[in-house]
Amino acid sequence: MGSRQPLPAPRDQRVRTATRRLRRRVPRPLPRARGQRCALHGAGGPAMRQALLAVVLLLPQGNRRADPFAPARLRATVSFLASDEMRGRGTGSPEGKMAAEWIAERFEKIGLEPANNGSFFHEFRFGGKECRNVAGILRAPPPAREFVVVGAHHDHLGGIGKTIYPGVDDNASGVAGVLALAEHFAARKKGLKRHMVFVSYDAEEKGLIGSKRFVGHGVIAIDKTVFMLVFDLIGGVFLPGQEQRVYALGSEHSKAVRAVLEQHRKAEALEAIPLGTYLIEPVGPAFARSDYSAYRAKHVPYLFMTAATPWYYHTPFDRPERLDYEKASRTLGIARAILADIVTSTKPLDFVAKPAGEVQDARDLVRMIESVLERQKELRISERRAGTLRAHVERLAKLTATDELGGRGKRACQMAIMDLLRVARSYRPPGWKR
Ligand SMILES: [Zn+2]
């Protein structure tokens, strides 16, 4: 997820050194028939590609029939993307490029076709750096004409000095989700009625740049794109007590999407709670928090699935051991069911440009705050903060008696969310030491 104050990118010299180290780790070049062209149209040179391919081979792939949503496979994917060699996948860094190459490899292996004029890559320059989105397409049989996009960003903050920000939850978890869904639907391609485009965005952390360029450059026909799903931080638990909750934002913009979400929101031991996107945009839609923004601007119905930002968000402690892979797997189960409904149908999906504030948002927030307050001691919430939270509950409870939230009601919900985020930010798990 993007913050409004991105951290500086790692210094070039440092990432070059890291890449050299990675190359040294590769025992010998992989055999390639003479004259054979790399299937991927990538920069980085043969040494980089060989290093990358070698690393790919180190990753447990499982057999063909293995469940793509198995927690162990999700963990393997995020652990690879967050390995030391990836140095936090800084935007436009050699390691960021390497991550993109690896994702393209996976897309190809899964059976996706390149989505950008024969290439899996959509390259663009930003901040003097070469960046690259990765996009693969699963074509539905004729006469399908519409597209559904499933995406997540792969870039993260890189490193600052000796400190690396591995970016496991943010957002290797989302990329793992995209790959799992691509694999799942690739095996069911014949039943599709809409084409599916799987995208891994670059430069999200710099202001959602990758998705903006992807939409802006017309890599796919946006006027034929009927739905987009984006994952950002889907591996975590926001706070103890929230193990069975994940959030789905965006369905306020489409009655049809809301209906599909309502049908699948409750799975075993997990609930996807619909929330209005305005809740995480207190400064307004110009300061959106993830890659749904460019699509929303084009009136594409969307869902943004996230488990929200736990305490380790944008810190060096966003590491593989922090995630709840069972929960991530169940989250993807809900996403899979939602997508299955949409891609095996040609039913139109409406778009509501200016949705009203829903009272249900206030109800869900009350529920959430109350469950947090129940654990005041365990979460070490100060009396003062608990008082603030109780005041939110009181204010929000009054709103639930109305029909819809006006500007003030929405503002009250935004304030409540901000205080919940503060609680999460100051939380530390028991026994945690820096
Ligand atoms: Zn982020």
Side-chain angles (χ1 to χ4, degrees), residues 72 75 106 125 183 227 245 258 303 321 347 378 401 422:
R75 182 165 190 148
R106 292 290 307 267
R125 279 190 79 77
E183 193 175 326
F227 178 66
R245 290 191 177 122
R258 173 64 62 86
L303 277 181
E321 60 271 23
K347 223 173 106 185
E378 179 192 343
R422 284 187 189 107

Side-chain angles (χ1 to χ4, degrees), residues 1-2 156 170 204-205 313-314:
M1 208 183 290
H156 191 56
D170 184 11
E204 190 269 0
E205 299 287 4
Y313 166 67
H314 279 202

Side-chain angles (χ1 to χ4, degrees), residues 180-356:
L181 287 163
E183 193 175 326
H184 172 83
F185 284 103
R188 291 154 183 82
K189 201 164 95 167
K190 284 184 191 140
L192 298 183
K193 295 221 170 101
R194 286 169 166 149
H195 307 302
M196 295 185 82
V197 182
F198 296 88
V199 194
S200 186
Y201 303 105
D202 201 350
E204 190 269 0
E205 299 287 4
K206 301 292 180 196
L208 318 176
I209 306 300
S211 52
K212 283 178 190 165
R213 300 283 170 93
F214 188 79
V215 170
H217 292 177
V219 179
I220 55 161
I222 200 73
D223 56 324
K224 293 195 177 64
T225 303
V226 296
F227 178 66
M228 84 84 76
L229 178 66
V230 59
F231 300 120
D232 210 345
L233 291 121
I234 55 162
V237 174
F238 181 56
L239 277 169
Q242 309 296 311
E243 292 82 359
Q244 304 194 352
R245 290 191 177 122
V246 64
Y247 307 97
L249 294 85
S251 67
E252 72 276 16
H253 283 287
S254 171
K255 289 186 175 65
V257 170
R258 173 64 62 86
V260 177
L261 173 60
E262 283 298 339
Q263 210 171 342
H264 301 292
R265 63 183 273 188
K266 281 185 186 160
E268 188 197 346
L270 187 72
E271 184 180 5
I273 299 174
L275 289 177
T277 315
Y278 72 90
L279 286 168
I280 56 162
E281 296 176 346
V283 195
F287 293 88
R289 297 298 305 280
S290 195
D291 292 311
Y292 56 83
S293 177
Y295 294 85
R296 176 177 63 185
K298 295 284 184 190
H299 289 192
V300 175
Y302 68 95
L303 277 181
F304 165 33
M305 291 187 79
T306 180
T309 51
W311 65 273
Y312 52 73
Y313 166 67
H314 279 202
T315 74
F317 311 108
D318 181 1
R319 302 184 53 81
E321 60 271 23
R322 296 280 158 227
L323 270 53
D324 179 340
Y325 296 94
E326 297 280 346
K327 185 187 175 203
S329 177
R330 287 196 296 269
T331 300
L332 292 171
I334 293 179
R336 175 184 61 203
I338 290 169
L339 282 170
D341 273 10
I342 294 174
V343 297
T344 58
S345 154
T346 52
K347 223 173 106 185
L349 302 167
D350 59 312
F351 185 85
V352 180
K354 288 204 161 64

